[in-house]
Amino acid sequence: MLLALVLALCCTASATALTIKLGSVAPANTPWDLALRGLAADWARISDGEIEVKIFPGGIAGNEPDMIRKMRIGQLQAAAMTAISFNSIYPGVLAIAQPMLVRTDEEMRNILDEMTPFFNEQLEERGFVPLMWAPIGWVKFFAREPVHTADDLRRHKLWVGSASPAVLRAWQQAGFNPVALPVAEVTTALQSGMIDAVASSPSGAASFQWFGIVPHMTDLRFTPLFGAVMISKRAWQRIPADLRPRLMRAATVAAQRVSEGAYEMDDLAVHVMVAHGLQVHEATAELEQEFTDIIGRYFGDLIGDEIDPEAYDLVIEKVNAYRARGGSN
C-alpha cells in the first residue's frame, strides 16, 4: 500500500510539471544559446522543478517563421527570434530598426526600453508574451571593394537578407542592386559572384567566413539588431500566476547576458577578421548623411506598408525626446 501511494504521488508530480519547448536558430554556445540555457536553469530553480524549458538550438525547430507557426498550433511554446520576424505578428516592431534612425548603442538601449511596454501590449493582443528584449549589435556593409560613398555600394550586388518585395523595391528605386536570399545561400552566392556585398553583423560575417570574399567593412551603424524571446500566451497562462513575476525577472537578467555577449562577440569578430585581412573603413559624417538622405527619400513608403505608422510615430517621438535630453545627435 505504501509503495502504491509513493508511485501515485510521483506520477502526480510528473503530470503537473510543465514543459516549455523553446526554439532558436542560434547555434550552440553562442551568446543567445548560453543565455537561454541559463534561463532554463533559472526557471527550473525558481519553480522547484515544476517548469522544464527544453532548448532546440541551431534551427532544429525550423526557421523563425516556422517557429511562429509552431507556436500558434502548440508544437512549440516559446522561441528566440530577431526583430524582423516579429513583423509577421505585429508590423510595428521594425519601426525601431528603420535604417539610419537610431545612431548609438546608448540610444538603442534607451529607445528599446521605452518602446517595450507598447510592443508587449501589441504582441500580447495577438497571442504572444515577450519575456525579454535584447539589443545585439549593428548591421554593417561588407563588400568586395571599399565603400566610402553610396555610389561605391551601388556598384555592388548587395545581399539584404530575406527582404520583402517592398524593401527590395525601395533599394532599387534608390539605385542599388539588392539581392534577397536565405542566409544559407549567401556563401554560394558570394562564391559564384551572384552577390559581392552583404549587409551583416561582424559576427555573422566572421562565423560564415564571408569576409574572405568581401574583405572591406564600412564601419557604418546602418541598422540596429535586436531580438526577443516570446512565449505563447496560452502557455504563459498555464504557469502559476505567483511564479510569473519571478520568471520574468530571470528573463530580464538573461537579456542582459545576451546583449553583453553579442557585443563582445562582434568586437572579437572584428579583431579576428582584421588579423586575417579584413580592412575596416571609417564611416565619415558625409557618408552617414548621404545614407540618411537616401533612407528618408526612398524608404518612407515602408511606413504603412511594412511598418505600423502608430509604432513609427511613437519611436520618432522617443528618439526626439532622448536627443532633446542631451542624448546622441
Side-chain angles (χ1 to χ4, degrees), residues 130-259:
L131 298 172
M132 67 183 195
W133 298 87
I136 54 176
W138 298 86
V139 168
K140 301 182 179 182
F141 295 125
F142 292 79
R144 181 193 60 212
E145 301 293 339
V147 171
H148 300 297
T149 68
D151 280 342
D152 289 339
L153 190 59
R154 288 185 174 104
R155 288 188 281 270
H156 289 80
K157 291 164 286 187
L158 174 66
W159 175 65
V160 291
S162 298
S164 68
V167 172
L168 284 175
R169 187 164 56 250
W171 277 107
Q172 290 163 349
Q173 289 173 345
F176 295 91
N177 300 294
V179 179
L181 292 169
V183 67
E185 298 178 18
V186 172
T187 299
T188 300
L190 284 169
Q191 292 169 341
S192 70
M194 181 180 179
I195 58 175
D196 57 8
V198 298
S200 170
S201 67
S203 56
S207 61
F208 290 110
Q209 299 289 299
W210 295 336
F211 72 95
I213 303 173
V214 286
H216 295 273
M217 185 185 89
T218 302
D219 198 13
L220 174 72
R221 291 185 175 114
F222 184 67
T223 302
L225 291 170
F226 62 100
V229 175
M230 286 194 311
I231 187 171
S232 72
K233 193 171 184 178
R234 182 171 56 251
W236 184 243
Q237 290 175 339
R238 291 174 59 196
I239 295 173
D242 62 316
L243 284 179
R244 294 176 203 163
R246 296 169 63 196
L247 300 181
M248 194 69 79
R249 286 194 293 272
T252 300
V253 173
Q256 184 66 26
R257 292 198 295 260
V258 167
S259 190

Side-chain angles (χ1 to χ4, degrees), residues 87 91-92 95 98 166 299-313:
N87 254 30
Q98 182 76 337
F299 284 66
D301 288 345
L302 297 179
I303 311 303
D305 291 340
E306 298 277 311
I307 299 173
D308 176 32
E310 181 184 7
Y312 183 76
D313 289 344

